[in-house]
Amino acid sequence: MQAELDAADTLEAPYVNVHLGAHTGAGVEAGLDNAASALEALDVPDGLTVLVESDAGSGTKLGGRFEELAAVLDRCDSPLGVCLDTAHAFAAGYDLSTPEAVEETVAEFDDVVGLQHLVCVHLNDSKHGCGTNRDEHAHVGEGEIGADGMAAVLTHDALRDVPFVVETPIEDGKSFEWNIDRARGLAGG
Ligand SMILES: [Zn+2]
């Protein structure tokens, strides 16, 4: 992780994104302590921010619940941001498949973590249903979140100034370019 930060500094990248990992049986609290202490031990170069990414929450992985992201932010003195991955959040049980559900999930994120900490969105549809904890990304608008949900995320007022990154698969003859065009279309051009 330190080598990644140093490389990002050389590249003048503004962010390094990381998952919290898994507690592998130690328990959620011990896992969060461990993740926080590892993040605190980093020497973060000026101009760089570490982002913790929301997880699908499979097995003992941390970061599926918004409370776990908030707990790590609380336990670290160094400033951290959050990256919200739509496929992961959906798999972790946060519904994003309708405009109403997106409204609720964004409000819950704001309550628990705080939208001021949201620095990036990974825009991915999900091959599996809400709450399945299964992490497989789908093309934008073609998974279980679907076009209405993706459009609601893309046009939500609170997310307007947040950068979006697609992490969609390259399959079925569809590339990143296809997904970016699809996202632009769903966002209203
Ligand atoms: Zn992601």
Side-chain angles (χ1 to χ4, degrees):
M1 183 67 189
Q2 187 63 53
E4 291 286 330
L5 293 182
D6 295 340
D9 188 36
T10 302
L11 293 166
E12 298 180 6
Y15 308 119
V16 168
N17 195 67
V18 67
H19 279 263
L20 293 176
H23 68 70
T24 67
V28 171
E29 286 305 310
L32 294 172
D33 279 342
N34 198 19
S37 67
L39 290 166
E40 282 285 88
L42 294 169
D43 180 13
V44 182
D46 285 345
L48 196 61
T49 304
V50 174
L51 309 184
V52 292
E53 178 167 347
S54 68
D55 198 85
S58 63
T60 67
K61 285 197 182 148
L62 299 163
R65 301 298 310 163
F66 292 162
E67 286 79 1
E68 294 169 11
L69 300 170
V72 168
L73 264 55
D74 280 350
R75 287 169 206 204
C76 289
D77 288 330
S78 50
L80 297 169
V82 172
C83 173
L84 182 68
D85 185 305
T86 53
H88 298 166
F90 185 72
Y94 296 101
D95 194 3
L96 293 166
S97 62
T98 65
E100 297 74 27
V102 169
E103 197 58 56
E104 245 175 72
T105 292
V106 172
E108 184 164 353
F109 182 92
D110 193 25
D111 271 357
V112 176
V113 181
L115 281 167
Q116 71 275 18
H117 298 298
L118 181 65
V119 176
C120 182
V121 171
H122 283 175
L123 187 82
N124 307 303
D125 213 321
S126 172
K127 287 188 180 171
H128 305 289
C130 185
T132 56
N133 299 118
R134 293 182 68 192
D135 178 9
E136 259 191 296
H137 298 183
H139 295 300
V140 172
E142 302 209 334
E144 295 292 319
I145 296 175
D148 287 353
M150 291 270 98
V153 169
L154 280 155
T155 57
H156 196 291
D157 270 348
L159 310 180
R160 189 170 294 275
D161 295 326
V162 179
F164 283 60
V165 175
V166 296
E167 294 178 313
T168 43
I170 297 172
E171 60 189 18
D172 309 325
K174 289 167 183 156
S175 58
F176 288 126
E177 190 181 6
W178 185 94
N179 278 281
I180 291 165
D181 284 346
R182 178 83 163 120
R184 286 209 173 104
L186 291 172

